């Protein structure tokens, strides 16, 4: 079956907007992980490199700690003001902290304020990514034709992987073009600043796409804009717990392999940035190709079966 031909033109445009926005958001978010070894030396005292690296990853983890709050916040915005509006806000909330990060003075210049500001920026990015992931899944799925919801929604994950690949390409390219000293002094800032122009392009594209039919129908008929959280948890506890378990397992594996491992290779095994980036690029590309294939299978045999097979493997 040629899936592309069976999708209406309007849905294909929506997919493109979702992929582009999601890829650029994850590009911004992943840059921090790829340059964690350099950031550790720039924003923390260098008397103990291992402690500095741990502190750098501690700030990286802070972005994950606020994700549940970000999911609730942007879920509320999406239900109250529209899925489209939530995605517009999330991409701006990622873009501005990323640009500031590219211009942020180091520990040697402003002292302890450098890691404090860095932590604040990562928290804002964590809120944004949560809103982007939740919002893009919902937005794409609500635009999908019957029988193709998994396939259409899977392109959100394809966009996330593409964003990480784009970050790798920039990191590897800079490592080839610049000396290690240049990369540490100023070169690592370039991808953060370049992402600013990309993100605004994605924002303009999202302004042009339509709201989901499901939200428009809900807006016409609702009397209560959002059910209380406690009642939602009580009524949907087991499905929510199952979904959380799936995401925890997936996210833990992804960031161990694609974020921590490259830094470990560079810092502990003296592997070059170029080699670590190429290996990461290959793994991410294979994962990106597998996403829509798995989604097509899920639309055929059921999502639960695909999830169990994926977890077992």
């Amino acid at each position: 079956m040629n899936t592309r031909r069976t999708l209406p033109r309007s849905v294909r445009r929506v997919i493109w907007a979702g992929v582009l926005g999601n890829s650029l958001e994850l590009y911004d978010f992943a840059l921090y992980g790829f340059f964690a070894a350099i950031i550790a030396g720039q924003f923390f005292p260098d008397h103990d490199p291992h402690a500095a690296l741990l502190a750098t990853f501690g700030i990286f983890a802070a972005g994950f700690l606020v994700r549940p709050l970000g999911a609730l916040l942007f879920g509320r915005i999406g239900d109250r003001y529209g899925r489209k509006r939530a995605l517009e806000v999330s991409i701006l909330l990622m873009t501005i902290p990323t640009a500031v990060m590219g211009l942020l003075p180091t520990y040697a210049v402003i002292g302890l304020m450098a890691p404090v500001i860095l932590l604040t920026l990562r928290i804002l990015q964590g809120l944004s990514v949560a809103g982007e992931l939740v919002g893009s899944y919902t937005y794409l799925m609500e635009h999908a034709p019957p029988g193709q919801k998994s396939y259409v929604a899977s392109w959100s994950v394809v966009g996330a992987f593409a964003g990480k690949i784009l970050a790798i390409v920039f990191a590897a390219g800079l490592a080839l073009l610049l000396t290690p000293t240049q990369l540490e002094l100023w070169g690592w800032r370039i991808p953060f600043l370049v992402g600013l122009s990309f993100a605004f392009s994605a924002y303009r594209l999202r302004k042009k796409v339509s709201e989901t039919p499901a939200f428009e129908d809900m807006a016409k008929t609702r009397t209560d804009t959002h059910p209380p959280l406690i009642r939602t948890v009580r009524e949907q506890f087991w499905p929510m717990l199952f979904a959380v378990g799936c995401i925890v397992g997936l996210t833990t594996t992804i960031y161990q392999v694609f974020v921590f491992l490259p830094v470990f290779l560079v810092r502990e095994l003296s592997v070059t940035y170029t080699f670590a980036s190429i290996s990461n690029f290959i793994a991410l590309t294979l994962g990106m190709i597998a996403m829509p294939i798995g989604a097509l299978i899920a639309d055929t045999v059921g999502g639960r079966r695909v999830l169990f097979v994926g977890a077992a493997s």
Side-chain angles (χ1 to χ4, degrees):
M1 178 180 66
N2 190 331
T3 306
R4 184 181 182 277
R5 290 181 179 177
T6 64
L7 291 175
R9 181 182 180 86
S10 60
V11 176
R12 296 201 299 269
R13 181 179 178 131
V14 164
I15 290 176
W16 174 240
V19 169
L20 181 60
N22 212 352
S23 64
L24 293 177
E25 287 233 13
L26 270 295
Y27 161 84
D28 293 340
F29 195 78
L31 283 176
Y32 184 95
F34 294 137
F35 288 112
I38 294 177
I39 291 173
Q42 296 286 324
F43 292 95
F44 296 93
D46 58 2
H47 62 272
D48 188 345
H50 290 87
L53 187 59
L54 285 174
T56 303
F57 274 115
I59 289 181
F60 186 81
F64 287 91
L65 293 176
V66 299
R67 280 198 182 187
L69 178 61
L72 292 173
L73 172 64
F74 279 93
R76 176 65 172 175
I77 294 174
D79 284 342
R80 183 68 180 87
Y81 301 103
R83 324 304 196 203
K84 180 172 175 287
R85 180 64 59 84
L87 291 176
E88 292 170 0
V89 174
S90 73
I91 202 168
L92 289 179
L93 189 60
M94 174 61 75
T95 301
I96 295 172
T98 300
V100 174
M101 194 176 297
L103 300 171
L104 184 62
T106 64
Y107 181 88
V109 177
I110 60 175
L112 288 176
M113 285 301 298
V116 170
I117 296 174
L118 186 64
L119 173 61
T120 303
L121 296 175
R122 288 303 294 178
I123 289 175
L124 292 176
Q125 287 184 325
L127 292 172
S128 170
V129 168
E132 175 67 25
L133 293 176
V134 172
S136 60
Y137 294 152
T138 304
Y139 185 75
L140 291 177
M141 188 168 289
E142 291 185 354
H143 271 288
Q148 293 180 289
K149 292 187 178 298
S150 295
Y151 174 74
V152 172
S154 73
W155 286 94
S156 177
V157 186
V158 171
F161 274 59
K164 293 175 183 177
I165 290 174
L166 185 60
I168 289 174
V169 170
F170 264 99
L174 288 172
L176 288 173
L177 294 174
L178 304 177
T179 66
T181 300
Q182 291 173 328
L183 188 64
E184 291 183 8
L185 289 178
W186 53 268
W188 66 272
R189 298 179 182 270
I190 295 175
F192 288 93
L193 298 175
V194 170
L196 183 64
S197 60
F198 290 164
F200 277 118
S201 298
Y203 175 78
R204 289 196 297 269
L205 178 60
R206 283 187 170 174
K207 291 285 288 185
K208 297 178 181 179
V209 296
S210 61
E211 184 55 83
T212 69
F215 175 78
E216 292 178 343
D217 292 340
M218 182 181 69
K220 294 175 183 178
T221 59
R222 69 184 175 196
T223 56
D224 182 14
T225 58
H226 193 68
L229 177 61
I230 295 177
R231 192 176 74 193
T232 302
V233 172
R234 186 187 304 120
E235 295 176 353
Q236 302 293 331
F237 177 77
W238 291 112
M240 290 174 64
L241 186 63
F242 177 76
V244 168
C246 292
I247 294 298
V248 167
L250 174 65
T251 303
T252 302
T253 303
I254 284 177
Y255 281 92
Q256 281 180 337
V257 174
F258 298 128
V259 176
F260 173 75
L261 184 58
V263 177
F264 177 81
L265 292 174
V266 172
R267 289 296 297 266
E268 302 301 327
L269 301 183
S270 300
V271 172
T272 64
Y273 270 106
T274 302
F275 180 84
S277 298
I278 291 174
S279 62
N280 223 354
F281 174 86
I282 294 172
L284 282 168
T285 301
L286 292 175
M288 184 174 66
I289 294 172
M291 288 296 171
I293 296 174
L296 285 171
I297 297 173
D299 281 330
T300 303
V301 305
R304 182 183 291 269
R305 293 180 180 179
V306 174
L307 284 173
F308 279 125
V309 171
S313 60

